[in-house]
Amino acid sequence: SCIAGKRFVVSEPVRERFTQALVEAMGEWVAGDPSDPETKLGPMVNIRARDGIHRQVTESIEKGAKLLLG
């Protein structure tokens, strides 16, 4: 089962610190072949899932979200 979080609820006083820490941490993750020991982030489960996430990101940016990594 997938337990990957898609959303975080963060209170305003720590929002900037949280965002910076998350971007820094995720920037160190290596995406790639899940059988490679260096890989921390494998592929999406299928093309449909990949396309769905891409659509969500694109729509979020169109509505004012900022892309900070990737």
Side-chain angles (χ1 to χ4, degrees):
S1 81
C2 177
I3 57 168
K6 287 177 139 183
R7 295 171 182 85
F8 296 94
V9 177
V10 181
S11 63
E12 184 61 34
V14 298
R15 180 184 58 84
E16 192 171 317
R17 253 187 357 231
F18 174 85
T19 301
Q20 183 178 19
L22 181 62
V23 169
E24 287 176 15
M26 292 305 298
E28 295 177 7
W29 281 40
V30 176
D33 182 344
S35 65
D36 181 341
E38 297 296 313
T39 297
K40 284 191 141 190
L41 182 64
M44 297 307 246
V45 66
N46 57 40
I47 291 173
R48 184 172 159 229
R50 181 205 61 193
D51 291 348
I53 294 294
H54 184 266
R55 180 182 43 75
Q56 288 176 349
V57 170
T58 301
E59 289 174 2
S60 295
I61 292 169
E62 288 171 358
K63 294 177 181 177
K66 295 177 187 174
L67 181 63
L68 302 177
L69 184 69

